[in-house]
Amino acid sequence: MAEPSTTLSPAPSSEAPAGRRAGIGDALRALELDTRMVGMIGALAIVWIGFDILTGGAFLTPRNLWNLSVQTASVGVMATGMVLVIVTRNIDLSVGSILGFTGMVVGVLQARILPEIWGFDHPMTWVVAVLAAVAVGGAVGAVQGAVIAYLGVSSFIVTLGGLLVWRGAAWWVTTGQTVAPMDGLFKRLGGGFEGAIGAGPSWAVGIAAVLLSVAAILVTRRRRAGFGFPVRPLWAEGVVILLVAAAIVGAVLVVNSYPLPVPVVRRMMEAQGLSTDGTLPFVAHGFAIPVLIALAVGVAMTFLSRRTRFGRYVFAIGGNPEAAELSGINTRRVMVMVFGLMGALCGLSACIATARLNAATNANGTLDELYVIAAAIIGGTSMAGGVGTILGAMLGAMVMQSLQSGMVLLGVDAPMQNIVVGLVLVAAVYVDTLYRRGLK
Amino acid sequence: MSGLAMAVPAAAPLVEMRDVSIAFGGIKAVDGVSIDLYPGEVVGLLGHNGAGKSTLIKILSGAYAADHGEIRVNGEPVHITSPRDAKRCGIETIYQTLALADNVDAAANIFLGREKLTAWGTLDDHAMEAEARKVMGRLNPHFRRFKEPVKALSGGQRQSVAIARAIHFDARVLIMDEPTAALGPAETRQVGELVKQLKQEGIGIFLISHDIHDVFDLADRIHVMKNGKLVGTARVSDVTQDEVLGMIILGKCPPGAVPGPGAVG
């Protein structure tokens, strides 16, 4: 098939860095894969396989991977927002406290206020709770952003203050009392077997994801070809589609081979009036709802950062704040929006964390700011600003959680776990510095 | 008002700054300066470092707001308090620092703040890249590195991106702050050619430089500043380079020039 790729670039060699040997190098270049992202996935693979060997095969089981994905969801959601914060050369130390505060608000709202209005287990309770969490979190973040952008106080100080203020505010909501239990439907946002969607819907989600990815890749290709720009060779496009599809189908297969516990299956069958004599059927968990929320947030945030003006401005501000200002970008408004978005994501994470715990406590999310920042940094977000990806941060969150989960399986003491995670963070940034220097 | 307005035919000046002042912490960086620019004219703005020329021009481009004075575009008074206001008046600036976002590509820089959007309100990167290829093809036909962040580009290529950003949006007034400071001889010549071409299209250009040869090559008129004040205004054909040096260094206005408030004696 004729490729239009040569119409505009008579000297394609000048488009690509020269000086590498032909063969595998050329093939990899044609795939246009992000080498950093490939490195991240490689690192994750090493961590996984390493732990699997050390634990004698206890790590790479559907059960452990499923739990790992649920445990990553809350930090993963917040890490996507932290990428934008750090890209604009700021930091947000208050995310764990905002999570704690909004978690308490959500707990009180659904366990005390809403039941007085429309009784327990109302189908709208969880909707109102989630919207309230996102709104409260967003408002808290926007206020901090406004102080940073318009009053000119550094984000480190404002959010350090926020870390204390909102943790204190979380205590004040109920003067320290834990609020439990949560609404039945709301609880599903936290995972567990009630919060898993089952095998059939998981296949539906997986197939839809594959189709959407393929459509996105093909639409982009056609648009580029339409303008006469260089495009990937067809075989490379095919390989990319295969890799994406394999990752998605693989994830579906994993979550669909983690069975529900036998008593749960029996109870479900009894509820449907089926006989529970003899062998019980295999009923899979499927994707956990918090994981689907985190993945949806990841897709939405990637879209926001890559395909919208807002995202473009966030990166431009990070690259050169003065240039962004001189280009006519309202940089202060963008900063308020970045911190507001960060707060809203904390609200969403508060729902996941509260639902998973089935209780709202004022200590919820303690130290999360450090895990969220570490996830973003391990995921390749540069503290110097201007560089970072949403996917990288989510992979970073996965790496952190894998280390912790793996060490728990190995029976490593809690203090030792912190030491290892701390060292890994420093080492990851060092490797990243080397990589950047290598690019020059 | 400058009596030179009579020397140039046609109506009101494209841009006029009247009695403009700005102070930073009690120091008057620009003190009662009046300058003007006509369509198709290149006006050089000369002076030592710290003479106030960059500050004056930043007032016109919206980076600073003047404490006092008036700006008129085509005879109409305008309020310029941000870069957006200036761009709305057709005033584009190529800054000495280039003011590029280093981490994004050429097209993203050219369209920064004025992105093209699709029908769904998302960034239309392909359309932007297509136009970037067109405008860059005019400025720098060998440029191919559209997918790389601009920090990977050479000084001349970065300059081309900054110029492309300024001229792509139908600028009527172009401010070039030391446009050739970072360039080699070939690239400097290229910028010179571009200035002549833009001039023919009727664009008015303010050229800020301390290279007096550059200015004599390209400018029709010059304004000289010293210590924040206007020393004088002259047609390039009416003064010698030595006389202009006298204006810059001593603030002495030669007979061929119209003295301003900053002239000595």
Side-chain angles (χ1 to χ4, degrees):
Chain A
M1 187 180 164
E3 290 295 324
S5 64
T6 47
T7 48
L8 245 172
S9 55
S13 60
S14 64
E15 291 234 32
R20 250 184 274 171
R21 279 189 300 128
I24 293 174
D26 279 346
L28 283 178
R29 211 171 305 140
L31 287 170
E32 292 176 24
L33 294 178
D34 184 343
T35 45
R36 293 177 71 104
M37 213 55 81
V38 174
M40 284 281 309
I41 293 169
L44 188 59
I46 290 169
V47 169
W48 282 11
I49 293 167
F51 275 125
D52 198 50
I53 293 168
L54 289 174
T55 57
F59 193 86
L60 288 179
T61 59
R63 175 197 162 96
N64 190 52
L65 292 178
W66 192 89
N67 283 325
L68 194 60
S69 71
V70 173
Q71 288 157 356
T72 307
S74 168
V75 167
V77 166
M78 289 189 283
T80 64
M82 191 60 81
V83 171
L84 300 192
V85 170
I86 297 178
V87 161
T88 57
R89 307 186 178 188
N90 285 289
I91 196 78
D92 193 337
L93 300 172
S94 66
V95 294
S97 295
I98 296 179
L99 186 152
F101 174 64
T102 49
M104 287 309 292
V105 170
V106 162
V108 169
L109 185 66
Q110 66 184 285
R112 295 188 186 169
I113 298 173
L114 289 178
E116 276 179 29
I117 299 170
W118 54 33
F120 286 97
D121 290 326
H122 190 280
M124 288 303 286
T125 298
W126 74 273
V127 178
V128 173
V130 171
L131 291 178
V134 171
V136 170
V140 165
V143 167
Q144 295 190 152
V147 173
I148 293 160
Y150 289 97
L151 304 186
V153 187
S154 88
S155 58
F156 186 94
I157 298 301
V158 172
T159 59
L160 184 61
L163 179 142
L164 298 169
V165 168
W166 304 114
R167 185 60 69 194
W171 188 86
W172 270 109
V173 175
T174 59
T175 53
Q177 285 173 359
T178 295
V179 182
M182 296 294 114
D183 174 75
L185 289 171
F186 181 84
K187 234 161 58 183
R188 296 188 174 188
L189 301 175
F193 54 81
E194 299 148 304
I197 63 172
S202 294
W203 275 116
V205 167
I207 289 167
V210 170
L211 291 179
L212 283 174
S213 313
V214 171
I217 289 170
L218 293 182
V219 165
T220 304
R221 182 185 173 83
R222 183 175 312 158
R223 291 268 299 156
R224 286 192 65 79
F227 278 105
F229 296 161
V231 291
R232 283 182 192 137
L234 265 186
W235 68 264
E237 214 80 81
V239 169
V240 170
I241 288 174
L242 273 181
L243 286 174
V244 170
I248 295 169
V249 170
V252 174
L253 287 174
V254 168
V255 295
N256 277 357
S257 40
Y258 176 33
L260 290 178
V262 171
V264 174
V265 175
R266 181 170 294 131
R267 221 182 309 139
M268 281 167 65
M269 292 180 69
E270 282 165 0
Q272 289 175 15
L274 297 169
S275 156
T276 52
D277 303 333
T279 51
L280 291 167
F282 179 95
V283 181
H285 271 77
F287 283 115
I289 289 171
V291 175
L292 291 177
I293 293 173
L295 292 175
V297 166
V299 171
M301 290 292 288
T302 301
F303 178 84
L304 192 68
S305 68
R306 302 268 279 271
R307 307 253 30 99
T308 68
R309 270 198 169 147
F310 169 73
R312 176 64 45 87
Y313 294 170
V314 164
F315 279 83
I317 290 169
N320 187 343
E322 196 201 10
E325 185 77 46
L326 291 174
S327 301
I329 296 171
N330 190 339
T331 53
R332 293 174 172 188
R333 209 181 58 146
V334 173
M335 289 314 310
V336 173
M337 288 166 74
V338 166
F339 279 93
L341 183 60
M342 180 75 250
L345 291 169
C346 293
L348 193 56
S349 282
C351 292
I352 295 174
T354 310
R356 187 154 164 259
L357 206 59
N358 194 17
T361 77
N362 60 0
N364 210 346
T366 303
L367 285 186
D368 267 10
E369 54 279 345
L370 300 182
Y371 292 113
V372 170
I373 293 167
I377 302 291
I378 288 179
T381 309
S382 161
M383 288 298 276
V387 178
T389 61
I390 304 297
L391 177 60
M394 297 192 92
L395 284 173
M398 193 58 131
V399 169
M400 300 265 302
Q401 192 57 52
S402 299
L403 283 174
Q404 288 201 305
S405 168
M407 286 188 289
V408 169
L409 282 181
L410 283 176
V412 177
D413 298 339
M416 193 61 193
Q417 290 177 25
N418 285 339
I419 291 173
V420 171
V421 170
L423 292 176
V424 166
L425 174 64
V426 175
V429 174
Y430 175 63
V431 169
D432 192 52
T433 313
L434 289 183
Y435 173 82
R436 264 173 235 280
R437 233 176 267 157
L439 277 188
K440 287 274 169 190
Chain B
M1 257 303 290
S2 154
L4 285 156
M6 287 177 298
V8 183
L14 198 51
V15 177
E16 211 182 343
M17 296 179 83
R18 284 188 189 174
D19 198 22
V20 170
S21 300
I22 189 170
F24 296 107
I27 306 216
K28 283 212 163 184
V30 173
D31 188 1
V33 174
S34 300
I35 58 171
D36 53 9
L37 174 71
Y38 287 83
E41 190 186 29
V42 178
V43 169
L45 203 53
L46 287 161
H48 271 313
N49 287 337
K53 49 193 198 312
S54 278
T55 309
L56 179 68
I57 235 62
K58 279 192 170 165
I59 292 171
L60 186 58
S61 66
Y64 298 147
D67 298 334
H68 180 261
E70 189 185 38
I71 300 172
R72 285 168 179 255
V73 174
N74 288 327
E76 299 289 319
V78 292
H79 281 282
I80 296 180
T81 53
S82 75
R84 258 161 297 164
D85 294 341
K87 284 165 199 264
R88 219 171 288 134
C89 297
I91 300 168
E92 295 284 341
T93 311
I94 300 161
Y95 294 95
Q96 188 173 359
T97 56
L98 301 185
L100 298 173
D102 276 332
N103 56 333
V104 296
D105 63 18
N109 267 291
I110 291 171
F111 286 90
L112 195 57
R114 290 181 284 208
E115 288 77 8
K116 287 176 98 66
L117 301 178
T118 64
W120 294 289
T122 60
L123 293 177
D124 196 343
D125 277 324
H126 302 299
M128 287 192 271
E129 188 181 330
E131 288 205 25
R133 281 178 188 262
K134 249 186 260 167
V135 63
M136 290 298 287
R138 199 175 129 201
L139 294 172
N140 193 343
H142 302 298
F143 188 79
R144 293 271 179 276
R145 300 162 76 180
F146 286 96
K147 285 282 158 216
E148 289 173 60
V150 298
K151 73 167 158 241
L153 307 182
S154 72
Q157 288 172 330
R158 288 163 54 84
Q159 183 89 34
S160 306
V161 173
I163 295 174
R165 174 169 64 187
I167 65 171
H168 184 65
F169 295 93
D170 300 320
R172 286 183 293 165
V173 176
L174 191 58
I175 301 167
M176 302 174 101
D177 193 354
E178 303 281 0
T180 57
L183 301 184
E187 287 160 332
T188 302
R189 241 187 334 270
Q190 217 175 346
V191 170
E193 292 302 318
L194 179 74
V195 166
K196 284 173 194 155
Q197 188 190 335
L198 294 172
K199 186 178 143 93
Q200 268 171 7
E201 291 170 16
I203 296 173
I205 298 174
F206 275 122
L207 191 64
I208 298 138
S209 182
H210 45 241
D211 184 347
I212 197 164
H213 303 289
D214 258 10
V215 174
F216 264 76
D217 277 353
L218 298 171
D220 301 298
R221 278 192 302 145
I222 52 162
H223 294 296
V224 179
M225 287 181 71
K226 187 174 190 304
N227 299 334
K229 291 184 176 158
L230 189 69
V231 172
T233 301
R235 300 194 66 78
V236 171
S237 50
D238 297 344
V239 287
T240 65
Q241 293 198 10
D242 283 344
E243 285 172 333
V244 173
L245 278 177
M247 292 170 83
I248 294 171
I249 298 165
L250 305 170
K252 212 172 79 178
C253 219
V258 179
V264 180

